[in-house]
Amino acid sequence: MRVATLRTSDGCRAARIDGDRAILLQFADVRDLLERPDWLTQAKAGGPDVALETVAFAPLVPRPDKFFCVGFNYLAHIAELKMEPPAYPSLFAKFARALIGARDPIAMPHASEQVAWEVELGVVIGRSVRAADRATARAAIAGYTIVNDVSVRDWQMRTRQALQGKTWERTTPLGPVLVTPDEVDDAVDLRIQTLIDGAIVQDSTTADMQFSPADLISYISTFVTLDPGDIISTGSPSGVGLSRTPPRWLRSGETLTTRIAGIGELVNRCVDEDAWAPATSKAP
Amino acid sequence: MRVATLRTSDGCRAARIDGDRAILLQFADVRDLLERPDWLTQAKAGGPDVALETVAFAPLVPRPDKFFCVGFNYLAHIAELKMEPPAYPSLFAKFARALIGARDPIAMPHASEQVAWEVELGVVIGRSVRAADRATARAAIAGYTIVNDVSVRDWQMRTRQALQGKTWERTTPLGPVLVTPDEVDDAVDLRIQTLIDGAIVQDSTTADMQFSPADLISYISTFVTLDPGDIISTGSPSGVGLSRTPPRWLRSGETLTTRIAGIGELVNRCVDEDAWAPATSKAP
């Protein structure tokens, strides 16, 4: 099963994606859908059927209650930063205003020359859990999606706390779809890539993660309840621009493609923040 | 003008506080009120009038879109940590599930022996602002409130990112009221205190802040739009438990009182997390 949040002429709507068709559901977005305990049944309902190419993707969850990001979770990335694998997950937040849809442009800030890419597997929570053991944590996963945790690195590095480099308005693509765990073998070994103008800059597998999605849910739920529609972005593999010689940053005009095999891809052009406009529906 | 979010027999309601009376308004909470451009007029409306002592305070904003915390902002606190004043504000997040009302108990986690207090002036945003200069930032302040950024210090220190020590469920009192800037001389020099079982452990003035509320709004709005009901908790003065010899932590059974002159006080008993229950309305 695949679901998405689409922009329609009538506002956002959750939809089931079947091949190149989108079946519009009676829910405002994927979070609204996931808040129903029987969401898997609800998502199978019939509804108006439109060609997927005529609609635009909104952020998969436009307004999550919580968005957790994980730092330093891929062993090869930890090695490229010349660090030891950490004992605990490194966690920081992102707010909803940072999120964009799968084909929206990225708003490139005037205030930075160091905008960086970070492909990440996104875990979408499907039920409320607190103090979850591994089995409960696994059962709380509604599905997987793609995040590019686009980072404004100079601001991120101004202090020890990453937040101010991680939650720039309209910079983080999230989507295009949620894919249920059965369709991607629980995402334990998916190829994960970033491309800039078609050239691969990150290329790894989710098998390189230190803390698995279930590990992370179990850990985070020790201190706070995770709720339907919450996102955990599980960290980025090696190949970040800061580790290159010389460092490499995103520039306006470049196209960032973010892929995870079995889920799909995000395609986001970098544009001056003043020129930002969302992808729109081509439907009548 | 003072407004609050109260728990009534009918769910949460925004209210205007006049002395010992609460006048219930037609809004679900203070964020819902602040989202009206004419909120100052709306808050002057008539409505059912109840004795303040019969109702319970919910968190002032039960579900802010964004909650920013600031680290290292009081010069004496920076000195007690043997640091230099930072060039930029240190920012991290807190999620809504951490928030409790002004008289609710604090849920003391089984998983920590190092729960700490941090009185802070809370700034409540009253209108959406991006890239605000100082004057625009000042005009975006709906009012001031009190936060105790209760911190689970051992978890906070597990990694460089503070978040996992800062967003434990039901640990952060927020309230009791929003006081408009005119009533507290723009909060530039307010006495600010924490007491444990009546003994003062923090005692300072908001005049010791390095970055003022307008500085912080201007800085944060460089990277993200601040919206009505958003909270900026502006950092804690000296007197934190970690800086004591030996360190001093909160224990179940103790009562934490958090005061800012001209605003009011939070009074929160520390209870085992399994025994947590909110303060409830005594109204019929």
Side-chain angles (χ1 to χ4, degrees):
Chain A
M1 168 99 68
R2 292 165 178 258
V3 296
T5 301
L6 303 180
R7 295 189 188 110
T8 72
S9 50
D10 203 26
C12 279
R13 288 283 285 281
R16 180 175 77 255
I17 309 300
D18 278 350
D20 61 357
R21 308 297 294 176
I23 297 89
L24 300 181
L25 303 172
Q26 294 177 35
F27 302 98
D29 56 42
V30 165
R31 174 178 170 182
D32 188 26
L33 171 65
L34 295 176
E35 285 174 344
R36 320 290 152 159
D38 61 342
W39 74 268
L40 273 167
T41 306
Q42 297 273 4
K44 285 175 189 147
D49 174 328
V50 296
L52 191 54
E53 64 176 9
T54 64
V55 291
F57 291 105
L60 179 72
V61 181
R63 303 194 76 75
D65 182 60
K66 305 173 209 79
F67 194 120
F68 281 98
C69 297
V70 182
F72 319 124
N73 197 26
Y74 278 76
L75 296 170
H77 177 52
I78 292 165
E80 83 180 334
L81 295 172
K82 305 187 195 329
M83 294 171 57
E84 293 296 314
Y88 303 105
S90 191
L91 300 170
F92 53 90
K94 194 181 280 287
F95 293 118
R97 276 189 176 273
L99 304 178
I100 57 175
R103 305 289 177 266
D104 288 340
I106 293 165
M108 297 291 286
H110 299 166
S112 172
E113 297 292 316
Q114 300 191 0
V115 180
W117 58 87
E118 295 190 0
V119 56
E120 307 199 357
L121 176 72
V123 178
V124 188
I125 302 297
R127 63 177 75 162
S128 293
V129 283
R130 180 86 201 272
D133 60 22
R134 291 294 187 292
T136 307
R138 260 190 300 275
I141 298 172
Y144 297 98
T145 189
I146 311 171
V147 180
N148 200 312
D149 179 24
V150 169
S151 302
V152 177
R153 203 72 84 196
D154 41 358
W155 284 63
Q156 178 186 338
M157 299 298 190
R158 284 182 166 190
T159 71
R160 285 167 59 106
Q161 303 300 322
L163 179 65
Q164 65 189 269
K166 296 289 192 171
T167 198
W168 282 69
E169 191 122 337
R170 298 171 172 164
T171 54
T172 303
L174 173 69
V177 295
L178 174 160
V179 179
T180 49
D182 56 295
E183 290 210 10
V184 287
D185 292 338
D186 296 317
V188 294
D189 185 11
L190 302 179
R191 192 170 184 191
I192 178 167
Q193 296 176 306
T194 298
L195 299 84
I196 300 175
D197 289 341
I200 294 173
V201 292
Q202 290 185 286
D203 191 358
S204 183
T205 159
T206 57
D208 192 41
M209 277 193 222
Q210 180 183 6
F211 300 107
S212 73
D215 291 341
L216 293 166
I217 291 169
S218 180
Y219 187 82
I220 294 169
S221 74
T222 308
F223 55 86
V224 74
T225 303
L226 287 164
D227 292 299
D230 285 357
I231 307 286
I232 303 172
S233 195
T234 57
S236 198
S238 60
V240 298
L242 188 62
S243 302
R244 294 173 173 245
T245 311
R248 165 84 160 87
W249 311 109
L250 289 170
R251 294 282 169 241
S252 289
E254 292 178 331
T255 296
L256 186 67
T257 301
T258 312
R259 279 187 194 148
I260 300 181
I263 303 178
E265 65 180 20
L266 309 167
V267 182
N268 305 91
R269 215 163 77 84
C270 301
V271 304
D272 183 281
E273 61 181 323
D274 291 338
W276 192 91
T280 53
S281 167
K282 295 181 206 98
Chain B
M1 168 98 70
R2 294 166 175 255
V3 295
T5 300
L6 303 179
R7 295 188 187 112
T8 72
S9 50
D10 203 26
C12 279
R13 287 283 286 280
R16 180 176 77 254
I17 309 300
D18 278 349
D20 61 357
R21 308 298 294 176
I23 297 89
L24 301 181
L25 303 171
Q26 294 177 33
F27 302 97
D29 55 43
V30 164
R31 175 177 170 182
D32 187 26
L33 170 67
L34 294 176
E35 285 174 345
R36 322 289 152 160
D38 61 341
W39 74 268
L40 274 168
T41 306
Q42 296 274 2
K44 285 176 190 147
D49 175 330
V50 297
L52 191 53
E53 63 175 12
T54 64
V55 292
F57 291 104
L60 179 73
V61 182
R63 304 194 74 75
D65 183 59
K66 305 174 209 77
F67 193 120
F68 281 98
C69 297
V70 181
F72 318 124
N73 198 26
Y74 278 76
L75 296 169
H77 177 52
I78 293 165
E80 81 180 335
L81 296 171
K82 304 187 197 328
M83 293 171 59
E84 293 296 314
Y88 302 105
S90 190
L91 301 171
F92 52 90
K94 194 180 280 288
F95 292 117
R97 276 191 175 272
L99 305 178
I100 57 175
R103 305 289 177 266
D104 288 340
I106 293 165
M108 298 291 285
H110 298 166
S112 173
E113 296 292 317
Q114 298 191 2
V115 180
W117 59 88
E118 293 189 2
V119 58
E120 307 197 358
L121 176 72
V123 178
V124 187
I125 302 297
R127 63 178 75 163
S128 293
V129 283
R130 182 83 201 275
D133 60 22
R134 291 295 186 291
T136 307
R138 260 190 300 276
I141 298 172
Y144 298 98
T145 189
I146 311 171
V147 180
N148 200 312
D149 179 22
V150 169
S151 301
V152 177
R153 202 71 85 195
D154 39 358
W155 284 62
Q156 178 186 338
M157 299 297 190
R158 284 181 166 190
T159 71
R160 285 166 61 106
Q161 302 301 322
L163 180 65
Q164 64 189 269
K166 295 289 193 171
T167 197
W168 283 68
E169 192 123 337
R170 296 169 175 166
T171 54
T172 302
L174 173 69
V177 296
L178 175 160
V179 179
T180 48
D182 56 294
E183 290 211 10
V184 286
D185 292 337
D186 296 317
V188 294
D189 185 12
L190 302 179
R191 191 170 186 191
I192 179 167
Q193 296 177 305
T194 299
L195 299 85
I196 301 174
D197 290 341
I200 294 171
V201 291
Q202 289 185 289
D203 192 358
S204 183
T205 158
T206 57
D208 192 41
M209 278 193 221
Q210 181 184 6
F211 300 107
S212 73
D215 291 340
L216 293 166
I217 291 169
S218 180
Y219 187 82
I220 294 170
S221 74
T222 309
F223 55 86
V224 74
T225 302
L226 288 164
D227 293 298
D230 285 356
I231 307 286
I232 303 171
S233 194
T234 56
S236 197
S238 60
V240 299
L242 188 62
S243 301
R244 291 170 178 248
T245 311
R248 165 84 161 86
W249 311 108
L250 288 171
R251 296 282 169 239
S252 288
E254 290 178 333
T255 295
L256 185 68
T257 301
T258 313
R259 279 186 194 148
I260 300 182
I263 303 178
E265 66 180 20
L266 309 167
V267 181
N268 304 90
R269 216 163 77 84
C270 300
V271 304
D272 183 283
E273 60 181 324
D274 292 338
W276 192 90
T280 53
S281 167
K282 294 182 206 97

